[in-house]
Amino acid sequence: MNAAVEIVFILVLLLSFAPWLICAKDRRLEVKMTLVQNASAHGAFCLDGSLPAYHLHRGFGAGARNWLLQFEGGGWCNDIPSCLERAQTRRGSTRYMTKYEIFSGILSNNASLNPDFYNWNRVKIRYCDGASFAGNAKFDNGALLSGCSAGGLATFLHCDEFTKYLPNNASVKCLSDAGFFLDERDISLNHTMRSLYKEIVELQGVEQNLDKNCTKSLYIPELCFFPQYALRYITTPFFILNSAYDVFQFHHILVPPSADPRGHWNRCKLNPAACNAHQIDVLQGFRSDMLSALRFFFASSRRGGMFINSCFAHCQSESQDTWFAVDSPRVHNKTIAEAVGDWYFRGRVTKEIDCPYPCNNSCHNLTP
């Protein structure tokens, strides 16, 4: 093999050739789910014991030898009751998952909508372990990972390990979308997210799968589940896509329900334009803390890239509206797709940081 194999790792699990099926409805690309039949031989199961699954759309032409692997997100479970409950849903069992997934944004096969990756082999890995693909005390460093949200977190956790399973001539890079979860106190000054991650790590035996250099350097090993602590030990080229006002983090890390029992933040959560001056100050403080956590990466990573916008959103690479469209969010007049393409293909230094809210009129503020 003389030609190098290129792989964009938005989450990871390299799949061998497998059957695939596509349905076109209303110009949407729908790709059929395939169960990983030999997963049991590697001890890889969903929470309910069902087989894991993926959706594969084959590449063609110049992209036929290249792979883009996108791992699904969907939160976590941190105790036995929550994991048992999760096991009865699509987040913990392939039995309850939709059998077809729409491929859009970075997964699209339309050159006008996804100019850099449209003809690659594109794989979406379904998420069903509740621990960002890092759980199971018998994990042997090979099975599952992720791309957006909890999947984006998995990219931080397993990016370097993934490269060991590929040919030496493979060009591997990693991209995390909305996976840069901060170790931040909530508005009541409690470490809500740190407590959650500690429970996940202990319940699912995650510590053994965390970066060893990171866990040795910190007095609290489970902190390495946070990307801001693991990032400095990642050697594979990495791109971080995140909102400085990530909606999930806003609602569950900065202002979780436990910290706002009377609902003073409810209107602000639904519409940032409804936030009062104090609330805006708190949100700007959260943005500042995120940029501070990224300062080392911004200054020292020569092969890294980032796109940190000021949109109230969570996961922007799989949605066509936010990935690459006429009115997609831009930073310095560059869309997310253009920034990723410049970083991956054109070797340009791409580290785009947006101005603070509400300066960016191109934002799609996607609050629930």
Side-chain angles (χ1 to χ4, degrees):
M1 292 172 59
N2 295 323
V5 178
E6 293 188 356
I7 297 177
V8 157
F9 165 58
I10 297 192
L11 307 177
V12 315
L13 172 53
L14 184 63
L15 299 174
S16 56
F17 300 101
W20 55 276
L21 179 63
I22 312 158
C23 293
K25 296 179 181 178
D26 302 325
R27 296 184 178 181
R28 298 182 303 176
L29 176 64
E30 297 189 2
V31 182
K32 188 178 182 179
M33 183 172 76
T34 300
L35 296 175
V36 183
Q37 297 294 343
N38 65 342
S40 58
H42 302 282
F45 298 100
C46 297
L47 286 173
D48 71 334
S50 59
L51 293 174
Y54 62 92
H55 303 253
L56 165 64
H57 183 242
R58 291 289 185 190
F60 58 92
R65 291 170 51 80
N66 303 331
W67 292 79
L68 187 154
L69 304 153
Q70 174 80 357
F71 284 63
E72 186 179 33
W76 310 272
C77 59
N78 61 315
D79 54 32
I80 297 297
S82 65
C83 287
L84 288 174
E85 180 180 358
R86 189 182 181 93
Q88 302 303 313
T89 72
R90 66 184 179 90
R91 297 301 187 193
S93 172
T94 50
R95 296 185 178 97
Y96 301 103
M97 291 179 180
T98 55
K99 304 312 180 208
Y100 287 84
E101 277 289 294
I102 296 173
F103 274 29
S104 62
I106 199 171
L107 297 176
S108 172
N109 67 334
N110 187 323
S112 66
L113 302 177
N114 187 26
D116 288 314
F117 305 107
Y118 72 98
N119 61 351
W120 285 34
N121 296 289
R122 283 152 292 112
V123 185
K124 182 170 184 176
I125 311 299
R126 303 306 298 266
Y127 177 41
C128 62
D129 83 328
S132 287
F133 301 90
N136 188 350
K138 295 183 179 180
F139 180 85
D140 65 354
N141 300 322
L144 299 166
L145 295 179
S146 194
C148 157
S149 190
L153 171 59
T155 310
F156 287 104
L157 299 178
H158 303 301
C159 178
D160 282 347
E161 186 68 20
F162 181 58
T163 63
K164 299 176 183 178
Y165 298 92
L166 301 177
N168 292 332
N169 66 343
S171 174
V172 183
K173 297 184 181 183
C174 304
L175 184 155
S176 171
D177 178 7
F180 197 78
F181 295 97
L182 279 185
D183 179 22
E184 183 87 348
R185 291 181 184 269
D186 63 32
I187 57 172
S188 296
L189 302 182
N190 294 317
H191 279 294
T192 300
M193 201 64 174
R194 185 183 290 191
S195 298
L196 175 70
Y197 277 5
K198 177 179 174 61
E199 291 166 352
I200 294 170
V201 169
E202 292 178 349
L203 176 69
Q204 304 218 36
V206 172
E207 183 176 336
Q208 63 183 316
N209 303 318
L210 300 177
D211 186 280
K212 299 300 185 291
N213 293 318
C214 180
T215 55
K216 290 177 182 176
S217 68
L218 296 176
Y219 68 97
I220 305 177
E222 60 265 21
L223 289 181
C224 294
F225 203 60
F226 284 100
Q228 67 198 78
Y229 304 115
L231 181 59
R232 66 175 58 234
Y233 301 100
I234 297 174
T235 58
T236 306
F238 209 103
F239 192 99
I240 300 171
L241 166 60
N242 228 94
S243 165
Y245 308 96
D246 183 280
V247 171
F248 179 91
Q249 299 197 53
F250 172 18
H251 293 189
H252 299 280
I253 296 180
L254 183 62
V255 192
S258 60
D260 183 35
R262 298 190 178 184
H264 296 303
W265 282 75
N266 287 354
R267 293 181 66 248
C268 179
K269 283 183 174 182
L270 292 174
N271 179 9
C275 300
N276 61 39
H278 168 70
Q279 291 168 334
I280 290 294
D281 285 345
V282 173
L283 289 167
Q284 302 297 20
F286 184 84
R287 172 184 179 271
S288 295
D289 289 346
M290 179 173 288
L291 296 183
S292 294
L294 288 166
R295 185 175 295 129
F296 176 83
F297 178 79
F298 180 86
S300 64
S301 177
R302 296 182 179 181
R303 298 188 298 166
M306 62 168 59
F307 191 99
I308 309 298
N309 62 18
S310 294
C311 307
F312 284 77
H314 183 68
C315 292
Q316 301 178 83
S317 64
E318 290 186 21
S319 170
Q320 197 61 57
D321 290 344
T322 50
W323 172 248
F324 189 67
V326 174
D327 61 345
S328 289
R330 284 168 165 76
V331 177
H332 304 141
N333 202 33
K334 187 178 294 186
T335 65
I336 295 169
E338 290 168 333
V340 173
D342 283 348
W343 165 74
Y344 189 89
F345 292 101
R346 294 173 277 281
R348 299 175 186 171
V349 176
T350 306
K351 295 179 179 177
E352 310 294 347
I353 298 178
D354 207 354
C355 49
Y357 172 82
C359 72
N360 191 338
N361 294 326
S362 70
C363 277
H364 296 190
N365 292 323
L366 306 174
T367 54

